[in-house]
Amino acid sequence: MALITTVTLNAAIDKTYYMEKFPLGKVSRVSTMISVPGGKGINVARVAHQLGGEVLASGFVGGSNGAYIVKELDKSGISSDFVEVEGESRLCLNMIDQSESTSTELLEPGPVITGEQIAEMKAKIGLLAAKSAIVAFSGSLPKGAPASLYAELIGIAKAAGAQAFLDTSGDALLEGVRAQPYFIKPNEDEVEKLIGRRLEQESDVYSAIGQLMEQGIGCVVVTLGAGGSVAGYGGRLYRVRAPRIEAVNPVGSGDSFVAGMAVATAAGRTFDQAIRLATACGTANALNVQAGDVRQDDVERLLEQVQVDLIS
Ligand code: TA6
């Protein structure tokens, strides 16, 4: 099976707190707490592993939190090869108010990365990419990393023969697309920044995707939340509708989408099969209490309900 390497430059411990109510300025008692390795790329690794993909998790980790992340990944059967840094890997908190069905996230900044550690990461990506079908870069950049870092790492991964996936935002995305990753998954706000104009209607999304494909990005998926996505691949545009569900915790659905796309692509599936699996995984994740977690039976059931229509 073809290896998928995930890269989380700001790895985390994701803590999800379930509470009856989460009023600001008051004391709240937590009924359930879930603590797992997180950060977007690690979520991609976990879900790809649950789907039966061969995965390896890389990125930066630090301190006792970093050691916990590595140990927990190992316990769940996910190999890892991280660069260790000074300081503590961050905590990312998600407070779920069950009476209002709201989710409030607090994301710590994480450790500051040095030039030496960046050089170590570049060397590691070169080695890992040489044995990977896909290298998936996900999440925000840590402090100390230049906005161009994803672009540089994508260049290294591509030169070593791997396909690069990029799921990030802001300047890291703006710079990253210049390195022509194979796959990106921006939301509408991120697309507006990428193309430098506002999206007023759905047809503006179509032309934006066309523009990004012309820039050399093989597969562009613009997520529209629960409404599904618009996808561009091979010069064609598709409207993808996700199954309707009662969401328990949508955090990590984007990462689960990337995992589905990566597993199908690494297995040589068609684009149609890949976008269906990605959409089913994104939806299946929201059914679970934990972020970045899918059940095979949910994925299989939801796959039947994903709708893909050719737009042009
Ligand atoms: O996508 C959800 C999530 O992966 C959380 O698990 C949390 O760790 C967070 O995103 C981190 O996002 P960031 O973009 O800061 O890396």
Side-chain angles (χ1 to χ4, degrees):
M1 204 179 292
L3 180 66
I4 298 162
T5 294
T6 70
V7 182
T8 314
L9 296 181
N10 205 351
I13 298 176
D14 275 0
K15 286 180 176 269
T16 309
Y17 297 95
Y18 283 85
M19 288 158 267
E20 183 48 33
K21 283 201 171 301
F22 178 54
L24 283 182
K26 297 258 169 67
V27 172
S28 299
R29 298 261 168 213
V30 175
S31 56
T32 308
M33 191 278 285
I34 297 166
S35 177
V36 287
K40 290 185 163 49
I42 288 178
N43 288 343
V44 174
R46 185 168 44 245
V47 174
H49 178 70
Q50 290 171 336
L51 295 172
E54 190 196 337
V55 287
L56 184 138
S58 187
F60 292 118
V61 288
S64 54
N65 287 345
Y68 173 85
I69 290 168
V70 171
K71 188 183 78 190
E72 290 300 308
L73 285 173
D74 187 50
K75 268 207 248 169
S76 42
I78 299 171
S79 325
S80 65
D81 188 356
F82 287 94
V83 172
E84 284 186 31
V85 299
E86 290 84 47
E88 280 294 329
S89 284
R90 61 187 174 152
L91 298 181
C92 288
L93 311 181
N94 175 14
M95 261 70 72
I96 297 194
D97 178 321
Q98 292 174 288
S99 61
E100 301 288 334
S101 295
T102 58
S103 156
T104 306
E105 288 186 77
L106 294 176
L107 311 178
E108 290 184 3
V112 181
I113 310 303
T114 66
E116 212 172 288
Q117 290 151 355
I118 290 172
E120 204 183 324
M121 177 57 69
K122 287 180 184 169
K124 192 178 285 298
I125 293 302
L127 294 173
L128 294 176
K131 56 178 181 176
S132 306
I134 291 173
V135 181
F137 300 93
S138 306
S140 56
L141 290 174
K143 282 193 182 153
S148 61
L149 184 55
Y150 276 135
E152 294 176 58
L153 296 176
I154 288 167
I156 293 168
K158 284 172 62 177
Q163 276 185 321
F165 281 36
L166 178 63
D167 181 17
T168 188
S169 55
D171 288 346
L173 177 63
L174 271 182
E175 298 259 345
V177 295
R178 297 206 179 109
Q180 300 173 321
Y182 168 75
F183 169 83
I184 58 170
K185 186 194 76 50
N187 61 27
E188 287 173 277
D189 288 347
E190 288 156 0
V191 172
E192 287 184 348
K193 286 194 202 101
L194 281 176
I195 60 164
R197 53 172 198 277
R198 287 194 57 81
L199 304 174
E200 309 284 357
Q201 52 209 12
E202 200 164 301
S203 59
D204 296 338
V205 178
Y206 306 163
S207 54
I209 293 175
Q211 192 178 322
L212 290 164
M213 284 194 289
E214 273 168 27
Q215 285 173 25
I217 301 165
C219 179
V220 181
V221 179
V222 178
T223 51
L224 307 171
S229 61
V230 180
Y233 173 78
R236 296 191 170 259
L237 283 173
Y238 303 83
R239 181 68 171 90
V240 186
R241 288 189 168 77
R244 296 222 164 269
I245 52 139
E246 197 77 52
V248 176
N249 178 14
V251 172
S253 284
D255 310 330
S256 304
F257 185 102
V258 174
M261 200 73 197
V263 167
T265 306
R269 302 270 178 264
T270 63
F271 168 75
D272 182 75
Q273 289 169 321
I275 192 77
R276 284 176 192 275
L277 183 63
T279 306
C281 288
T283 308
N285 171 75
L287 293 171
N288 295 335
V289 289
Q290 184 188 312
D293 179 39
V294 302
R295 290 176 41 161
Q296 276 281 10
D297 53 346
D298 285 334
V299 173
E300 275 158 33
R301 179 173 44 82
L302 292 165
L303 253 182
E304 306 293 314
Q305 300 167 39
V306 176
Q307 201 186 317
V308 181
D309 296 307
L310 181 68
I311 300 168
S312 63

